[in-house]
Amino acid sequence: MLKIYFGDMEEAIYNTSDYFDVVYEDAWITSTFAKAVIKDIDKSEVLSSHCIESPVLGQIPPVSLAGGTKTLLLMYFEPENIFNASTCGDNCAKWILEIAQIKDVTINLRHIMDFGREKPFGVEVMVLNSCQTVRDMSELLPQASRFLRENADEGCL
Amino acid sequence: MKGAYRISVSTKRIKYDFTINRNITIIQGDSGTGKTTLVGLIRRFYEQGSKSGVKLECDRVCMPLGGRDWYKLLDGVHDTIVFIDEGNAFVKSNDFARAAKASDNYYVIVTREALGSLPISVNEIYGIRSNGKMAENVPVYNSMYRLYGEFAHSTEINPTLVITEDSNAGHDFFSEVCAPLGIACISAHGRDKITDYIYSRPGDAVLIIADGAAYGSKMRETCEYLKEFSNYVLYLPESFEWLLLASGILKERGLKDILKSPCKYIESSEFFSWERFFTHLLEKLTEETPVTTRYNKQGRLPPFFRRRGNIDKVLGQIPSIKFKDNSV
């Protein structure tokens, strides 16, 4: 299940890149999930837990991964924490939905992310500001729009 | 600071080449496109100059800014292009907006958040695109592209409903155009409320007119709505005042040059947004004229601008919008 809180959220970890640099574990980088995400987002190959082959930057350490990649790995490996998912571009949206299919995760969004319009989300998505479940972007959009503007919370928190 | 500045940053592996045109520039887009890498290179060069291994060419100092003491670091900084990476929450604060407004710097901000306190132009929101590696031992070349370029100039439409951001002169003008043709023209009373008016309106062709010079913070949200409803079209001139100035109604020496390259004339410390500059310019140009021509942003549209000939000149600036076809 994916829970989304729109707007400023005190308990969310805002600077996910800095946080990742401190807390990531070697085993995260060599996991099947991380390899797939790094291949997709960074267009890079994991060589070892300390080394990733980037077609642009050469061999880089995990701290040089894209901000969106770092946030996805944090969501996957620390689902008990809430992360600022506005560090993720739209190309991360499918991965967020995929994580939510196997883990309960809560994310904080400070912009409107496009989760895709071709089909329903395929996973239960709840807007925490209203405590309402949404099935697709057409249902998510008015809520995102409203709560980002008002920064209101009338729901589950 | 005024003017446009080309910035070229490169290493042996990667090169960025782009131009900054006004005081606030936003970089966003997909993850993994090199936004943080760009700010990282700016940081390395700022700290160690050419000894960093980074090559940077720009007519102004390029400086990174971040951290909780950002306001101290900004103190005393002038005529500088300031780069702020993602993860700096202060960019959304009123304190930062005040500091930016009071300064003569340009700011390049990496963020996906809507920064409503800053006058962000729809034309100055960019993504980074890699043009690939041209040859061995040549850096990968990255350029910036306008994320909302296609929305800044409207697509063709014969509107049956017009929604204006403006509730004063701009709304008066388009009401004057629409009324004889039986087209409804409503005001959203400000940019923040425009998306409230976007919902299913089967059978309508809806034209939304807003000031592009400051609509950037609403662009993401608006575009997401427009993905839902294909019968809406956005028209985003710099501002309504820009539209009047560009129409040729007012004959003023030097006006064409200003409109051709506004960045050469707009001092950012004096005008936080180009919208304010064009309003000031129009008010200035008409202040010595009869009251029937004198323009005031907060007032009603003067009769001079409602004359049929002048309306036609303004509409001539937006040929993609066909108001006349509706009268048939």
Side-chain angles (χ1 to χ4, degrees):
Chain A
M1 181 181 189
L2 176 64
K3 295 177 183 173
I4 306 173
Y5 188 86
F6 286 102
D8 296 345
M9 188 185 200
E10 191 64 35
E11 54 269 55
I13 294 168
Y14 184 83
N15 192 328
T16 53
S17 180
D18 280 0
Y19 180 82
F20 174 90
D21 293 352
V22 174
V23 305
Y24 85 89
E25 297 172 15
D26 291 351
W28 294 10
I29 306 303
T30 51
S31 67
T32 306
F33 177 78
K35 284 179 179 175
V37 169
I38 291 167
K39 177 89 176 163
D40 182 43
I41 306 294
D42 295 83
K43 313 292 181 219
S44 299
E45 297 286 345
V46 174
L47 301 180
S48 73
S49 57
H50 303 288
C51 186
I52 293 137
E53 177 77 30
S54 158
V56 177
L57 302 171
Q59 294 188 353
I60 59 168
V63 295
S64 296
L65 287 167
T69 299
K70 292 180 180 181
T71 307
L72 290 171
L73 297 185
L74 288 168
M75 285 177 205
Y76 187 84
F77 289 105
E78 291 192 357
E80 67 277 14
N81 284 326
I82 302 171
F83 297 102
N84 169 18
S86 286
T87 54
C88 295
D90 287 342
N91 56 336
C92 296
K94 66 179 180 189
W95 289 105
I96 294 175
L97 294 175
E98 196 165 314
I99 294 168
Q101 282 179 346
I102 49 177
K103 301 184 181 203
D104 286 343
V105 285
T106 301
I107 62 171
N108 175 212
L109 275 177
R110 291 151 185 263
H111 79 296
I112 299 175
M113 177 174 278
D114 185 355
F115 284 95
R117 284 180 160 72
E118 295 78 23
K119 53 184 187 292
F121 292 142
V123 64
E124 192 176 355
V125 176
M126 177 185 280
V127 175
L128 283 177
N129 307 68
S130 62
C131 215
Q132 288 180 8
T133 301
V134 291
R135 288 170 296 186
D136 55 26
M137 273 306 287
S138 68
E139 292 185 358
L140 180 69
L141 185 54
Q143 298 222 19
S145 184
R146 180 185 161 208
F147 292 118
L148 283 171
R149 189 190 311 171
E150 298 173 1
N151 213 44
D153 177 12
E154 54 190 37
C156 314
L157 289 183
Chain B
M1 201 156 104
K2 64 173 80 163
Y5 296 93
R6 184 177 172 188
I7 301 171
S8 174
V9 199
S10 60
T11 67
K12 284 183 178 178
R13 294 183 182 278
I14 193 164
K15 176 174 183 172
Y16 297 84
D17 199 327
F18 53 94
T19 299
I20 299 300
N21 299 295
R22 61 181 104 184
N23 58 342
I24 309 287
T25 299
I26 302 293
I27 307 179
Q28 48 187 227
D30 278 349
S31 294
T33 51
K35 302 180 289 293
T36 295
T37 302
L38 168 64
V39 182
L41 295 180
I42 297 286
R43 179 175 293 108
R44 285 170 189 267
F45 187 87
Y46 181 76
E47 294 297 339
Q48 300 180 56
S50 57
K51 290 173 186 167
S52 64
V54 177
K55 191 176 174 189
L56 192 150
E57 292 172 40
C58 182
D59 288 342
R60 299 285 178 182
V61 172
C62 295
M63 170 194 169
L65 180 70
R68 60 191 296 177
D69 291 334
W70 62 270
Y71 55 94
K72 292 179 188 168
L73 298 170
L74 204 51
D75 190 32
V77 173
H78 297 284
D79 288 339
T80 295
I81 301 174
V82 178
F83 285 75
I84 304 169
D85 197 9
E86 197 167 63
N88 285 291
F90 69 80
V91 294
K92 207 179 171 185
S93 69
N94 289 330
D95 285 342
F96 176 69
R98 273 192 289 273
K101 186 179 179 183
S103 80
D104 53 11
N105 303 311
Y106 280 11
Y107 297 86
V108 180
I109 305 169
V110 180
T111 185
R112 295 184 186 87
E113 295 188 50
L115 307 180
S117 304
L118 298 178
I120 299 165
S121 164
V122 293
N123 294 318
E124 307 303 339
I125 303 175
Y126 295 89
I128 294 177
R129 175 186 288 145
S130 173
N131 297 354
K133 207 174 175 74
M134 301 305 185
E136 275 306 310
N137 303 319
V138 171
V140 170
Y141 175 66
N142 284 340
S143 59
M144 300 228 269
Y145 66 99
R146 287 195 161 102
L147 275 181
Y148 300 113
E150 72 271 30
F151 284 103
H153 308 285
S154 88
T155 16
E156 286 206 358
I157 185 172
N158 299 332
T160 58
L161 171 65
V162 174
I163 301 169
T164 65
E165 170 193 359
D166 196 353
S167 55
N168 296 320
H171 180 251
D172 287 347
F173 177 85
F174 286 102
S175 294
E176 197 81 24
V177 173
C178 292
L181 304 172
I183 302 171
C185 180
I186 55 178
S187 167
H189 298 281
R191 69 173 179 210
D192 287 343
K193 294 181 179 168
I194 281 183
T195 49
D196 291 348
Y197 290 82
I198 305 177
Y199 48 83
S200 181
R201 297 176 189 265
D204 264 328
V206 188
L207 173 66
I208 297 172
I209 302 169
D211 292 344
Y215 200 69
S217 63
K218 294 294 291 181
M219 216 32 201
R220 173 81 193 201
E221 180 188 357
T222 305
C223 289
E224 289 302 322
Y225 273 96
L226 265 50
K227 287 179 189 172
E228 296 290 321
F229 306 109
S230 59
N231 54 332
Y232 285 73
V233 164
L234 274 179
Y235 175 58
L236 303 171
E238 287 285 350
S239 68
F240 176 63
E241 291 76 16
W242 175 88
L243 195 54
L244 295 183
L245 289 165
S247 69
I249 296 172
L250 299 172
K251 306 294 180 199
E252 182 70 23
R253 216 173 143 191
L255 185 56
K256 274 188 179 172
D257 291 335
I258 294 173
L259 296 173
K260 192 177 171 189
S261 303
C263 64
K264 290 183 185 171
Y265 300 88
I266 302 175
E267 170 56 51
S268 64
S269 59
E270 198 178 343
F271 298 101
F272 200 27
S273 77
W274 285 16
E275 178 192 16
R276 291 185 187 181
F277 170 81
F278 291 122
T279 299
H280 171 81
L281 185 59
L282 184 56
E283 289 179 344
K284 196 82 183 161
L285 289 178
T286 60
E287 69 181 355
E288 302 293 335
T289 61
V291 70
T292 52
T293 306
R294 205 175 304 152
Y295 186 85
N296 180 341
K297 171 92 174 162
Q298 303 308 324
R300 311 315 308 186
L301 185 69
F304 172 75
F305 297 98
R306 298 174 189 254
R307 289 183 195 163
R308 191 64 244 176
N310 288 339
I311 286 177
D312 287 344
K313 283 183 181 173
V314 174
L315 296 182
Q317 295 297 306
I318 39 178
S320 53
I321 302 170
K322 312 285 186 193
F323 286 102
K324 287 179 182 172
D325 290 358
N326 294 74
S327 60
V328 178

